[in-house]
Amino acid sequence: MELITALTIGAALFGTGVYGALSQTNLVMIMMGIELILAAALVNLVAFWRYLHPEAMSGQMFVLIVMTVMALEMAVGFGIAIARFRSRGSVEMEEARELKG
């Protein structure tokens, strides 16, 4: 795969993620948009790493570690969403004004 192809895929993922995160009011959909943004960054990271250092495998290991952190972030986010839904009956961000400090 050429570098420009991977960067194009990363840019498409990033654009979709930004649109999803900014246009939604549901907490779960916002978190999905953020995950797409992070996935796009990882695709670009692997593409550049493969292009600059094709013999090194450390880039792929770094991506696996970041993906693990992304999974943990989603688990915490979904935990917060479930707690919010159980207490208030909604995960809409417009109804979360009372969470302001």
Side-chain angles (χ1 to χ4, degrees):
M1 180 183 292
E2 291 186 26
L3 179 63
I4 192 69
T5 306
L7 294 180
T8 304
I9 292 170
L13 278 173
F14 187 82
T16 305
V18 167
Y19 175 75
L22 295 179
S23 68
Q24 299 296 321
T25 59
N26 190 325
L27 178 63
V28 175
M29 297 301 287
I30 292 170
M31 289 181 356
M32 289 174 65
I34 292 170
E35 286 297 313
L36 280 175
I37 291 170
L38 291 172
L42 289 178
V43 166
N44 288 339
L45 175 71
V46 168
F48 278 121
W49 209 296
R50 181 77 177 146
Y51 181 73
L52 296 174
H53 306 287
E55 69 283 345
M57 291 294 166
S58 56
Q60 285 80 5
M61 294 307 295
F62 180 72
V63 168
L64 287 176
I65 292 169
V66 171
M67 287 176 69
T68 305
V69 171
M70 285 171 51
L72 292 173
E73 172 226 344
M74 287 301 286
V76 169
F78 282 131
I80 292 171
I82 289 171
R84 169 90 178 130
F85 182 76
R86 286 182 181 167
S87 68
R88 304 282 188 215
S90 174
V91 290
E92 295 295 321
M93 293 305 293
E94 293 171 349
E95 297 174 4
R97 301 260 185 237
E98 68 272 2
L99 295 176
K100 243 180 162 176

